[in-house]
Amino acid sequence: MKGTAILPVPSQTPADRGAAHVQPRTTITRRGRLFQRLALLLSATVLYYAFFGLGGLAAGTHPAKQAPWAAPRGRPYSGSSSVKPGPLPPSEPSDVCPQPAALAPAKHRALAEELDRAYADEAFKLHAYETLGGAIRIPTESYDDLGPVGEDRRWDTFAKLHEYLEQTFPRVFETLRVTKVNTYGIVLHWQGSDESAPPVVIAAHQDVVPVEPATAGEWIHPPYSGFYDGEWIWGRGSCDDKSDLIASLHALDALLEKGFKPEKTFVLAFGFDEEASGAQGAGHLAVYLEETYGTNGIALLIDEGGGAFGTPYGGDVIFAVPSLSEKGYLDVRIELSAQGGHSSVPPKHTAIGLLSSLIVAIEEQPHEPALVRGGGPYNATQCAATYGPEYPDELRSLAHSAVHNDEALAGLRDALLDNFPRFEAILRTTQAVDLVQGGVKVNALPEKVSAVVNHRIAEHSSVAELKEHFTNVILPVATRLNLSIEAFGSNVSAGSGKAGRVVLSDAFGTGLEPSPVTPSGGEDPYQVLAGTIKATIQSAEGYNASGVVVAPLLQIGNTDTRYYWNLTRNIIRYKHVDDGDRFNGAHTVNEAVRAEGWIQSIRFYTKFILNSDEYL
C-alpha cells in the first residue's frame, strides 16, 4: 500500500461495482490503442507533477541541494481518513517525522574505526569502568541551602574531584587550555585550526543529588562505592551525570592519543550545582563563555537530558529522544496575613483555613492542556504514530488526521491524556503545592501562613500567562472570604480585606520562561547530532533492530542549559544510553549503569566530535 498511501482510491457503491461487471467489451483498433497509450502517458505525467511539484524540474532549475547528512524526503500525510495509517518501517521517509541519515565520519573514517576497536578491547573497558567508579567515590553532593563558593565548606569536595580528574586524564588537562570559573566550574578549550569557525560545546555537571541517609541501607552496593560487579557500575552519579562527564573526557583523551587535530574548536564546560539551581556553576560559566565566544557565538551545544533510547512502542524499532526545548519554571508563594488571638475565641476561618480554601481552588482548576502543531509533544507524537510498531491504532489514526483536522487534533490530545498518564505533565502547565507553613502554638491563632506552589510551564505558555491564571483562580475565593490581594507587585480588586490579606510572589526569584525551541530543519546543526545518534546505535556491537527513529521531545525538568540561551539557538539535551542499561534510574536508591552499555556513551562522544568537525 505504500504507493497509494497519499492517493486513496475513491470508494465505489455496490451499484457502481455491479455496473462495472456488465459493461460491454469494445473492440480497440490500432489507432485506438495508440491514443489510449498517449492518454495514459499524459495522465501519469500530470500525476507526477501534481505529486512532486513543478519547481524543481522547470526549465533552467535544479533540485535543491541537500546537506550531506540529509535523508530522502518523505511522504506527507494527506489527512484523509479513507486510508488506514499503519506503522512505516524506519527506512521509509515521512514528512511528519523527518529522519536524518545515519552520519558516520568520512574524512576520519579510519580513525573512527580504529577507536571503535580500541573501545571494544577488554583492557580499555576495565580501565574505563574504574575511572567512572573513582569519580563516583567522591561524593560531590549539592544542596539547596549551599552558601557562596569560598564561604560554605561543603563545596570543598569538588577540589578532590578536580584533583582526581587531572590525575586520571593528564593528557587532556595538559594539552587543552584549562580555565576554572568560580573556583569549581571547569572549561576545557581545544583550539581548532579554523579560528573563524564557531566552537562546539559539550556540557555536563560534576555534582549529584544527596543520598537520603535513611535509604542508605536499601542500596545493593553502597551509594558511593563505584563498585563494578561484573555487569553494573553502582553509585550516585553513575547515571546522572558523572557518566557523561567521564565518557566525554575518555573520548577527548582517545582522540588526543591518536594525534587528532580538529578544524573546529571544541569546548567542554562542567558545572557543579545543577542539582541545586545551577547558579554558582552554569550561571557563572555562561557569563564566561559569552564573554569569551560572544553572544550566539557557539555553533552547537549538547548537555545532559532527553530520554534513554529503547523500544517504547514494541517491536524492534529503536526510538532515540533528544530534547529540543524545556518547560518553564515558577514557584508561587501565597502569603496570607490575618488577625491573631486566642484559639478559644476563633473566627469562622483561621488563617490556615483561609489558605486551605485558596489551595483547594488552585488544585480544582488546573491549567488546560494543549497539543500544538509544530510543538515538541506534537512532533514526538507524530513520530510515535508513524513508526511505532505497537502504537495504539486509535491514536495512530487520530495523529494521521490531526495534521490538517482541528477536531482530530483535539481528539488526539484527549486520547494522549487517557492512554499515557505522563502526558498530563507534558501537555499542560503543572502545579504542585509542595510547601506549607503556619501556626506556632496550639492555643494561638496563626497570624501569618504561607504555601509555595511549584509550576513547570508548558511550551505553549509563559510566566505572565501563569501569573494571570493563578490570580484569576484565587480572586473569586478571596472576594467571597473578604481577603484583599496583592498579586506579583500589583493590588487587585478583591475582598474588603477585613478577613486578611493575600500576597502572591515569585517565591525564590527563579521564574523562568519556557526555553527557545532548537531548530531542526534539514540544514540545521541538529541534523549532525541526530545522524550521529543513529550511526552510533546502528554500528554498535550486537545491534539487532529494524531501524532507529530519532524523535525529539520536550524536556519536562530543567538543566544547566537554562543559562546558555545567549550562546546559541542550537541547544540539544541528550544522554546516549539504552533504557535497559539503567538499573533503577537516577535520583533514587540503587542508581547504576550497565558497564558495557556505558561504553556506547564514549563511542557516541567520539563520533559526535568527529562528525561536528567534518560536517558543521
Side-chain angles (χ1 to χ4, degrees):
M1 296 294 291
K2 292 179 182 178
T4 61
I6 66 165
L7 294 173
V9 178
S11 59
Q12 292 181 306
T13 66
D16 292 332
R17 289 193 292 271
H21 287 300
V22 297
Q23 287 177 342
R25 292 185 61 179
T26 57
T27 302
I28 304 177
T29 65
R30 182 178 180 184
R31 177 178 292 183
R33 283 194 297 270
L34 177 61
F35 278 105
Q36 185 183 56
R37 290 169 183 169
L38 287 172
L40 288 170
L41 177 61
L42 180 60
S43 298
T45 303
V46 170
L47 284 172
Y48 179 91
Y49 284 116
F51 182 80
F52 290 103
L54 297 171
L57 299 175
T61 65
H62 302 279
K65 183 179 179 181
Q66 288 185 288
W69 56 77
R73 291 183 174 87
R75 303 177 310 179
Y77 276 149
S78 68
S80 170
S81 60
S82 60
V83 176
K84 181 180 180 181
L88 297 179
S91 58
E92 179 79 13
S94 165
D95 280 352
V96 296
C97 182
Q99 289 298 298
L103 188 64
K107 185 166 61 175
H108 304 293
R109 176 180 175 181
L111 174 59
E113 292 175 348
E114 181 182 1
L115 289 176
D116 268 350
R117 290 191 294 271
Y119 298 153
D121 180 75
E122 194 65 24
F124 173 85
K125 290 179 183 179
L126 292 174
H127 170 68
Y129 301 161
E130 176 53 30
T131 60
L132 177 55
I136 292 169
R137 285 191 281 274
I138 303 171
T140 49
E141 295 180 339
S142 60
Y143 304 88
D144 291 340
D145 63 346
L146 278 164
V149 174
E151 298 179 15
D152 194 323
R153 296 301 302 273
R154 288 177 293 177
W155 293 113
D156 294 351
T157 185
F158 289 91
K160 298 176 183 177
L161 179 62
H162 286 202
E163 182 180 356
Y164 173 79
L165 295 176
E166 291 161 7
Q167 292 175 352
T168 305
F169 298 98
R171 187 169 21 239
V172 172
F173 282 85
E174 292 170 5
T175 305
L176 276 58
R177 188 174 79 222
V178 182
T179 303
K180 300 292 181 72
V181 178
N182 197 22
T183 307
Y184 297 121
I186 300 176
V187 177
L188 300 172
H189 176 101
W190 193 6
Q191 181 61 49
S193 59
D194 184 355
E195 296 187 3
S196 66
V200 175
V201 173
I202 298 173
H205 64 86
Q206 308 165 57
D207 60 310
V208 299
V209 296
V211 173
E212 174 62 46
T215 66
E218 299 176 23
W219 287 70
I220 296 173
H221 296 285
Y224 291 109
S225 64
F227 180 67
Y228 170 54
D229 67 0
E231 181 177 9
W232 301 90
I233 302 171
W234 295 86
R236 183 68 88 227
S238 58
C239 293
D240 183 12
D241 183 39
K242 287 180 177 176
S243 49
D244 280 346
L245 188 151
I246 298 298
S248 63
L249 288 173
H250 268 298
L252 255 69
D253 187 60
L255 289 166
L256 287 169
E257 183 182 20
K258 297 300 180 182
F260 175 69
K261 298 184 184 300
E263 291 183 14
K264 304 293 192 302
T265 295
F266 289 87
V267 177
L268 273 66
F270 300 148
F272 57 91
D273 65 336
E274 191 274 345
E275 301 294 1
S277 67
Q280 296 286 315
H284 287 260
L285 287 170
V287 173
Y288 169 80
L289 293 172
E290 187 172 1
E291 290 175 348
T292 304
Y293 304 108
T295 304
N296 292 320
I298 301 300
L300 175 62
L301 186 151
I302 179 174
D303 197 0
E304 64 160 344
F309 61 84
T311 54
Y313 305 110
D316 63 348
V317 177
I318 294 174
F319 279 74
V321 285
S323 291
L324 303 187
S325 61
E326 291 181 352
K327 298 184 80 172
Y329 186 97
L330 183 66
D331 290 314
V332 176
R333 184 187 302 280
I334 312 170
E335 191 170 76
L336 192 149
S337 302
Q339 183 68 41
H342 199 281
S343 61
S344 62
V345 190
K348 185 176 181 181
H349 299 291
T350 67
I352 292 176
L354 294 168
L355 178 63
S356 299
S357 295
L358 299 178
I359 291 174
V360 168
I362 291 164
E363 292 202 336
E364 286 183 343
Q365 299 181 64
H367 293 256
E368 289 297 320
L371 185 63
V372 181
R373 290 190 185 96
Y378 173 85
N379 292 340
T381 298
Q382 288 294 352
C383 286
T386 301
Y387 293 112
E390 297 175 13
Y391 198 70
D393 288 340
E394 176 197 2
L395 272 71
R396 198 190 309 275
S397 180
L398 283 169
H400 177 86
S401 301
V403 176
H404 302 296
N405 186 298
D406 290 344
E407 185 177 347
L409 182 66
L412 177 60
R413 175 202 62 206
D414 295 341
L416 287 170
L417 294 171
D418 290 341
N419 285 270
F420 301 109
R422 187 172 176 81
F423 270 86
E424 285 285 347
I426 293 173
L427 297 185
R428 71 169 88 235
T429 294
T430 59
Q431 54 188 26
V433 183
D434 290 332
L435 299 175
V436 177
Q437 190 172 33
V440 294
K441 202 170 187 303
V442 72
N443 63 348
L445 296 175
E447 296 175 300
K448 186 167 288 188
V449 298
S450 66
V452 176
V453 187
N454 174 262
H455 298 85
R456 306 302 172 109
I457 305 173
E459 188 179 62
H460 60 268
S461 188
S462 66
V463 171
E465 185 175 358
L466 166 57
K467 289 179 177 179
E468 182 181 6
H469 171 88
F470 201 96
T471 304
N472 289 340
V473 166
I474 72 166
L475 182 58
V477 181
T479 302
R480 175 172 57 83
L481 296 175
N482 280 324
L483 296 168
S484 62
I485 299 178
E486 178 188 318
F488 308 102
S490 299
N491 289 320
V492 177
S493 178
S496 64
K498 183 178 180 180
R501 180 170 178 78
V502 176
V503 177
L504 306 179
S505 64
D506 180 342
F508 309 109
T510 54
L512 181 71
E513 297 288 350
S515 76
V517 179
T518 296
S520 57
E523 304 297 323
D524 289 309
Y526 159 82
Q527 299 295 336
V528 174
L529 180 123
T532 302
I533 293 171
K534 185 173 284 191
T536 305
I537 295 174
Q538 292 179 342
S539 63
E541 184 179 355
Y543 170 75
N544 183 24
S546 62
V548 177
V549 174
V550 183
L553 48 66
L554 169 72
Q555 182 94 6
I556 295 178
N558 296 114
T559 64
D560 275 344
T561 62
R562 76 188 88 169
Y563 295 100
Y564 296 148
W565 298 353
N566 283 355
L567 300 179
T568 178
R569 295 191 313 152
N570 302 302
I571 296 175
I572 301 172
R573 305 145 190 91
Y574 178 69
K575 187 176 188 69
H576 193 83
V577 61
D578 190 304
D579 186 53
D581 290 334
R582 298 185 298 185
F583 187 86
N584 199 30
H587 294 202
T588 187
V589 298
N590 292 321
E591 182 178 343
V593 64
R594 195 188 307 272
E596 285 277 359
W598 174 66
I599 294 294
Q600 297 304 314
S601 296
I602 303 175
R603 295 184 64 244
F604 166 75
Y605 281 116
T606 303
K607 294 181 188 302
F608 174 69
I609 291 170
L610 293 175
N611 280 340
S612 296
D613 194 62
E614 180 174 352
Y615 298 114
L616 279 182

